[in-house]
Amino acid sequence: MTTKFKPVRAGIIAALAAISIGSLNLPVIYADAPIVSESFSAGDPIKAPLQKPLWTASFDKNASSVVSGDGLLFTFEGGKLVALNVQNGKKLFTYGSKLRPGAAYLNGVVYGVTDSGQVYAVSAKTGKQVWKSAAGITDANAPVVIKDTVLVSNKNAFIALDAATGKQRWKAVEDQAENQGTIATEADGILYVTYWVQGALTSSQLDAIDLKTGKILWKKFKQYAPLTIQNGLVYSIADQYSFDDADPKRELNIAVLDAKTGKTKETQTYSWTLKSQPPYQGGSGSAILNGKDLYIATDRAVMKFDITAYKKDGKPLKTWNVDNTDKDIIGSVHDNRVFFKNSSKPEITGMKLADSMTFNFRTDNPPVQTDIYGNGVYIGQSDGVLHGYNLQTTFSVFTVNTGSRNYGPTLRSGNTLIIQAKDTGKLIAVPVPKALQ
C-alpha cells in the first residue's frame, strides 16, 4: 500500500524551521548593526493645568520689551515703538519707524534710538515725541536713564544727554576698552561702568565717572562691578585669574575703594580649601550681598560674613554645608533662600537658609529661560512650553503653550505675566495665580 502525502505549504515549513533554529539560541541578525544602542528613561511628563492667555500680540523677534509701574508695556513691531495696555493688550499708540529694538522707561517718558543713531524721547501717555537728538550716534545701544540723564553707549564711550531736552552733556571715552561698557550702578552722583580691557592679561576694569560732568574720576583694573556702595566706600570683587591646580587653597578678594578717589582702603580676603582630589580645577567661589550680609559659595559650602566688620582669618557667622560643584550663587536672597546657576547644565537651583535644604524645579525638557517673581518661578522650555512653579512647594501650578524654543526675559506687571516668545514673535499675557503672587 502506497501512502500519499499532501503538499505542505512553504510558510508552515519556514515557521517550523524558525522554531527549530530559535531553539538553538542563535544571535539576532540585523540588516544594519548599530555600534551603540542604549535606552534612557524620558521621565514623567509634567502635568499642570493649561493656562489660557489673556491676550497675545506680535512683536519683533529681536526686541527687548519693558513694562512700566502703571500698567503699560512698550515693545517694537515692524521697527515701530508700540505701547500696550498690560491688562487687555489694547494697542494705545505707535511711534516712529526704523527704530532699534530696545527702550528705557522713566517718569512717564520712553527713550530709544533710531537705526540712524538718533536718541528720542516719547510721552508714555500720548505717544507724542518730546525730543529727538539732531546728530546720530553710530552703533548706539539701547539707552539707560539715571535721574535726569540719558546714557547711550557707543563702542568704547558713553554719551550723556539731558533727559528733558536731549542736549548732549558729555562724552566719556575709555581708550583701552575692547568692547562697549556696561553700566553697573550709580551712587551719590558717581556712575560705575565696567569694561573688558587688554593689559598683560585681559580682565574687567571698573571706571568711576562723574554723572554731571563725565569726568573719569578713577579706574581700577582687575575689578568687577560693585557688590555695594556704602558710606562712601565701593566694595568690588577682584579678578582672581587662575589658581594652581596642585594647591587646594582658594580665596576670594574684595577691594574696598574710596568712592571719590578709587584709593584702596582695605582688601578683604576670604579663604577656604577645596574638598575634591587633585588636580584641583576651578573652585574660585562666587558671592552675593544682602545688606551687610556677604554670602560666599565654595565647592562644598555657603559661608556668611558681615562685610562691614571684616577680620583677617575671621570665621564665618554661619556655614551651610552643601555641594556647590559647578554652581555659582546668583541673584539676591529671597524668601530666606539663595539661588545657584549650574555651569554644567541649564538649571537654577536653590537652598533654604533656615535648614540648608536644597531644592530644584523639575522640568521635562531643557530649560531656556528662568525668572522668579514673588512666590512664582517661571521656566520656559525648549519644547515650546512654559511652566509656572510655586516657590514654596517647587511644584508646577500651570502650563502655557508658547510654541517657541527661545525666550526673552519673562515680565510681570501687577498680576499679569508677559511671556516673550522669540521664535514666534508673540507676546503672551497670562494671569498670575494668587498662590504665586
PDB file of all heavy atoms in Angstrom, residues 20 54 60 122 139 143 156 168 189 217 226 236 298 307 316-317 324-325 333 344 396 434:
ATOM      1  N   SER A  20      12.715  25.749  15.153  1.00  0.00           N
ATOM      2  CA  SER A  20      13.831  24.849  15.376  1.00  0.00           C
ATOM      3  C   SER A  20      15.127  25.621  15.537  1.00  0.00           C
ATOM      4  O   SER A  20      15.916  25.383  16.440  1.00  0.00           O
ATOM      5  CB  SER A  20      13.937  23.865  14.195  1.00  0.00           C
ATOM      6  OG  SER A  20      15.060  23.047  14.355  1.00  0.00           O
ATOM      7  N   LEU A  54      -4.542  85.700  28.396  1.00  0.00           N
ATOM      8  CA  LEU A  54      -5.455  86.849  28.469  1.00  0.00           C
ATOM      9  C   LEU A  54      -5.490  87.549  27.120  1.00  0.00           C
ATOM     10  O   LEU A  54      -6.534  88.009  26.666  1.00  0.00           O
ATOM     11  CB  LEU A  54      -4.977  87.832  29.535  1.00  0.00           C
ATOM     12  CG  LEU A  54      -4.992  87.357  30.988  1.00  0.00           C
ATOM     13  CD1 LEU A  54      -4.256  88.362  31.880  1.00  0.00           C
ATOM     14  CD2 LEU A  54      -6.424  87.182  31.463  1.00  0.00           C
ATOM     15  N   ASP A  60       8.632  92.321  17.352  1.00  0.00           N
ATOM     16  CA  ASP A  60       9.840  91.954  16.618  1.00  0.00           C
ATOM     17  C   ASP A  60      10.652  90.969  17.437  1.00  0.00           C
ATOM     18  O   ASP A  60      10.870  91.177  18.635  1.00  0.00           O
ATOM     19  CB  ASP A  60      10.675  93.207  16.319  1.00  0.00           C
ATOM     20  CG  ASP A  60       9.974  94.141  15.342  1.00  0.00           C
ATOM     21  OD1 ASP A  60       9.082  93.669  14.616  1.00  0.00           O
ATOM     22  OD2 ASP A  60      10.322  95.345  15.326  1.00  0.00           O
ATOM     23  N   VAL A 122       9.693 109.945  24.083  1.00  0.00           N
ATOM     24  CA  VAL A 122       8.278 109.933  23.726  1.00  0.00           C
ATOM     25  C   VAL A 122       7.442 109.897  24.998  1.00  0.00           C
ATOM     26  O   VAL A 122       7.766 109.169  25.946  1.00  0.00           O
ATOM     27  CB  VAL A 122       7.951 108.701  22.849  1.00  0.00           C
ATOM     28  CG1 VAL A 122       6.463 108.602  22.584  1.00  0.00           C
ATOM     29  CG2 VAL A 122       8.709 108.768  21.537  1.00  0.00           C
ATOM     30  N   ASP A 139      26.424 103.032  16.133  1.00  0.00           N
ATOM     31  CA  ASP A 139      26.483 101.812  16.959  1.00  0.00           C
ATOM     32  C   ASP A 139      25.963 102.031  18.380  1.00  0.00           C
ATOM     33  O   ASP A 139      26.442 101.401  19.330  1.00  0.00           O
ATOM     34  CB  ASP A 139      27.916 101.269  17.028  1.00  0.00           C
ATOM     35  CG  ASP A 139      28.452 100.883  15.661  1.00  0.00           C
ATOM     36  OD1 ASP A 139      27.642 100.411  14.840  1.00  0.00           O
ATOM     37  OD2 ASP A 139      29.653 101.069  15.420  1.00  0.00           O
ATOM     38  N   PRO A 143      19.237 102.961  25.353  1.00  0.00           N
ATOM     39  CA  PRO A 143      19.626 103.896  26.406  1.00  0.00           C
ATOM     40  C   PRO A 143      19.339 103.380  27.810  1.00  0.00           C
ATOM     41  O   PRO A 143      18.516 102.487  28.015  1.00  0.00           O
ATOM     42  CB  PRO A 143      18.771 105.131  26.103  1.00  0.00           C
ATOM     43  CG  PRO A 143      17.572 104.594  25.393  1.00  0.00           C
ATOM     44  CD  PRO A 143      18.063 103.425  24.603  1.00  0.00           C
ATOM     45  N   ASN A 156      33.515 102.274  22.674  1.00  0.00           N
ATOM     46  CA  ASN A 156      34.209 102.335  23.961  1.00  0.00           C
ATOM     47  C   ASN A 156      33.913 103.642  24.704  1.00  0.00           C
ATOM     48  O   ASN A 156      34.719 104.112  25.500  1.00  0.00           O
ATOM     49  CB  ASN A 156      35.716 102.193  23.768  1.00  0.00           C
ATOM     50  CG  ASN A 156      36.300 103.333  22.943  1.00  0.00           C
ATOM     51  OD1 ASN A 156      35.569 104.009  22.217  1.00  0.00           O
ATOM     52  ND2 ASN A 156      37.600 103.538  23.048  1.00  0.00           N
ATOM     53  N   GLN A 168      23.212 117.105  24.408  1.00  0.00           N
ATOM     54  CA  GLN A 168      24.354 116.326  24.884  1.00  0.00           C
ATOM     55  C   GLN A 168      25.087 117.085  25.976  1.00  0.00           C
ATOM     56  O   GLN A 168      25.384 118.264  25.847  1.00  0.00           O
ATOM     57  CB  GLN A 168      25.312 116.009  23.737  1.00  0.00           C
ATOM     58  CG  GLN A 168      26.502 115.152  24.165  1.00  0.00           C
ATOM     59  CD  GLN A 168      27.339 114.655  23.006  1.00  0.00           C
ATOM     60  OE1 GLN A 168      26.800 114.327  21.950  1.00  0.00           O
ATOM     61  NE2 GLN A 168      28.649 114.590  23.197  1.00  0.00           N
ATOM     62  N   GLY A 189      25.947 110.456  42.811  1.00  0.00           N
ATOM     63  CA  GLY A 189      26.407 111.239  41.669  1.00  0.00           C
ATOM     64  C   GLY A 189      27.568 110.641  40.915  1.00  0.00           C
ATOM     65  O   GLY A 189      28.132 111.288  40.025  1.00  0.00           O
ATOM     66  N   LEU A 217      36.769 109.746  37.123  1.00  0.00           N
ATOM     67  CA  LEU A 217      37.395 110.039  38.412  1.00  0.00           C
ATOM     68  C   LEU A 217      38.547 109.080  38.711  1.00  0.00           C
ATOM     69  O   LEU A 217      39.576 109.476  39.243  1.00  0.00           O
ATOM     70  CB  LEU A 217      36.351 109.971  39.527  1.00  0.00           C
ATOM     71  CG  LEU A 217      35.149 110.909  39.357  1.00  0.00           C
ATOM     72  CD1 LEU A 217      34.129 110.674  40.468  1.00  0.00           C
ATOM     73  CD2 LEU A 217      35.586 112.362  39.333  1.00  0.00           C
ATOM     74  N   PRO A 226      30.609  96.820  41.333  1.00  0.00           N
ATOM     75  CA  PRO A 226      30.480  96.877  42.792  1.00  0.00           C
ATOM     76  C   PRO A 226      29.427  95.915  43.335  1.00  0.00           C
ATOM     77  O   PRO A 226      28.332  95.783  42.776  1.00  0.00           O
ATOM     78  CB  PRO A 226      30.068  98.327  43.054  1.00  0.00           C
ATOM     79  CG  PRO A 226      30.548  99.087  41.860  1.00  0.00           C
ATOM     80  CD  PRO A 226      30.407  98.138  40.710  1.00  0.00           C
ATOM     81  N   SER A 236      34.235  95.821  45.775  1.00  0.00           N
ATOM     82  CA  SER A 236      34.321  95.192  44.447  1.00  0.00           C
ATOM     83  C   SER A 236      35.170  93.929  44.506  1.00  0.00           C
ATOM     84  O   SER A 236      36.289  93.943  45.026  1.00  0.00           O
ATOM     85  CB  SER A 236      34.927  96.179  43.440  1.00  0.00           C
ATOM     86  OG  SER A 236      35.297  95.538  42.245  1.00  0.00           O
ATOM     87  N   THR A 298      31.331  78.211  48.069  1.00  0.00           N
ATOM     88  CA  THR A 298      32.525  77.450  47.711  1.00  0.00           C
ATOM     89  C   THR A 298      32.074  76.119  47.125  1.00  0.00           C
ATOM     90  O   THR A 298      30.883  75.910  46.877  1.00  0.00           O
ATOM     91  CB  THR A 298      33.412  77.218  48.939  1.00  0.00           C
ATOM     92  OG1 THR A 298      32.766  76.279  49.829  1.00  0.00           O
ATOM     93  CG2 THR A 298      33.659  78.524  49.689  1.00  0.00           C
ATOM     94  N   ILE A 307      30.147  92.040  55.911  1.00  0.00           N
ATOM     95  CA  ILE A 307      31.138  92.712  55.079  1.00  0.00           C
ATOM     96  C   ILE A 307      31.628  94.011  55.715  1.00  0.00           C
ATOM     97  O   ILE A 307      32.701  94.518  55.384  1.00  0.00           O
ATOM     98  CB  ILE A 307      30.566  92.975  53.666  1.00  0.00           C
ATOM     99  CG1 ILE A 307      31.697  93.212  52.662  1.00  0.00           C
ATOM    100  CG2 ILE A 307      29.581  94.140  53.682  1.00  0.00           C
ATOM    101  CD1 ILE A 307      31.244  93.256  51.218  1.00  0.00           C
ATOM    102  N   PRO A 316      33.349  82.433  59.639  1.00  0.00           N
ATOM    103  CA  PRO A 316      32.025  82.830  59.149  1.00  0.00           C
ATOM    104  C   PRO A 316      31.024  82.970  60.298  1.00  0.00           C
ATOM    105  O   PRO A 316      31.133  82.286  61.324  1.00  0.00           O
ATOM    106  CB  PRO A 316      31.631  81.676  58.217  1.00  0.00           C
ATOM    107  CG  PRO A 316      32.894  80.945  57.912  1.00  0.00           C
ATOM    108  CD  PRO A 316      33.777  81.124  59.092  1.00  0.00           C
ATOM    109  N   LEU A 317      30.058  83.860  60.120  1.00  0.00           N
ATOM    110  CA  LEU A 317      28.968  83.959  61.085  1.00  0.00           C
ATOM    111  C   LEU A 317      28.124  82.693  61.061  1.00  0.00           C
ATOM    112  O   LEU A 317      27.580  82.275  62.081  1.00  0.00           O
ATOM    113  CB  LEU A 317      28.091  85.177  60.757  1.00  0.00           C
ATOM    114  CG  LEU A 317      28.773  86.544  60.807  1.00  0.00           C
ATOM    115  CD1 LEU A 317      27.798  87.622  60.345  1.00  0.00           C
ATOM    116  CD2 LEU A 317      29.275  86.833  62.219  1.00  0.00           C
ATOM    117  N   ASN A 324      28.202  72.528  46.089  1.00  0.00           N
ATOM    118  CA  ASN A 324      28.009  73.558  45.065  1.00  0.00           C
ATOM    119  C   ASN A 324      28.912  73.340  43.854  1.00  0.00           C
ATOM    120  O   ASN A 324      29.223  74.297  43.136  1.00  0.00           O
ATOM    121  CB  ASN A 324      28.303  74.945  45.657  1.00  0.00           C
ATOM    122  CG  ASN A 324      27.311  75.322  46.730  1.00  0.00           C
ATOM    123  OD1 ASN A 324      26.121  75.058  46.608  1.00  0.00           O
ATOM    124  ND2 ASN A 324      27.799  75.925  47.800  1.00  0.00           N
ATOM    125  N   THR A 325      29.342  72.121  43.624  1.00  0.00           N
ATOM    126  CA  THR A 325      30.207  71.835  42.490  1.00  0.00           C
ATOM    127  C   THR A 325      29.560  72.320  41.193  1.00  0.00           C
ATOM    128  O   THR A 325      28.396  72.019  40.925  1.00  0.00           O
ATOM    129  CB  THR A 325      30.490  70.321  42.398  1.00  0.00           C
ATOM    130  OG1 THR A 325      31.036  69.871  43.635  1.00  0.00           O
ATOM    131  CG2 THR A 325      31.468  70.028  41.277  1.00  0.00           C
ATOM    132  N   VAL A 333      19.135  87.300  47.998  1.00  0.00           N
ATOM    133  CA  VAL A 333      18.395  86.499  48.972  1.00  0.00           C
ATOM    134  C   VAL A 333      16.914  86.823  48.812  1.00  0.00           C
ATOM    135  O   VAL A 333      16.518  87.994  48.803  1.00  0.00           O
ATOM    136  CB  VAL A 333      18.862  86.793  50.410  1.00  0.00           C
ATOM    137  CG1 VAL A 333      18.023  86.007  51.411  1.00  0.00           C
ATOM    138  CG2 VAL A 333      20.340  86.455  50.566  1.00  0.00           C
ATOM    139  N   SER A 344      27.241  73.428  34.433  1.00  0.00           N
ATOM    140  CA  SER A 344      27.348  72.202  33.634  1.00  0.00           C
ATOM    141  C   SER A 344      26.023  71.811  32.985  1.00  0.00           C
ATOM    142  O   SER A 344      26.001  70.981  32.079  1.00  0.00           O
ATOM    143  CB  SER A 344      27.837  71.042  34.511  1.00  0.00           C
ATOM    144  OG  SER A 344      26.937  70.784  35.574  1.00  0.00           O
ATOM    145  N   SER A 396       4.783  72.441  39.781  1.00  0.00           N
ATOM    146  CA  SER A 396       4.234  73.227  38.681  1.00  0.00           C
ATOM    147  C   SER A 396       2.752  73.477  38.934  1.00  0.00           C
ATOM    148  O   SER A 396       1.994  72.557  39.256  1.00  0.00           O
ATOM    149  CB  SER A 396       4.428  72.496  37.350  1.00  0.00           C
ATOM    150  OG  SER A 396       3.882  73.244  36.299  1.00  0.00           O
ATOM    151  N   LYS A 434      -3.096  83.438  42.391  1.00  0.00           N
ATOM    152  CA  LYS A 434      -2.923  84.066  43.690  1.00  0.00           C
ATOM    153  C   LYS A 434      -1.816  83.403  44.500  1.00  0.00           C
ATOM    154  O   LYS A 434      -1.070  84.079  45.207  1.00  0.00           O
ATOM    155  CB  LYS A 434      -4.240  83.992  44.476  1.00  0.00           C
ATOM    156  CG  LYS A 434      -4.227  84.778  45.780  1.00  0.00           C
ATOM    157  CD  LYS A 434      -5.586  84.771  46.443  1.00  0.00           C
ATOM    158  CE  LYS A 434      -5.559  85.584  47.739  1.00  0.00           C
ATOM    159  NZ  LYS A 434      -6.895  85.584  48.397  1.00  0.00           N
TER     160      LYS A 434
END
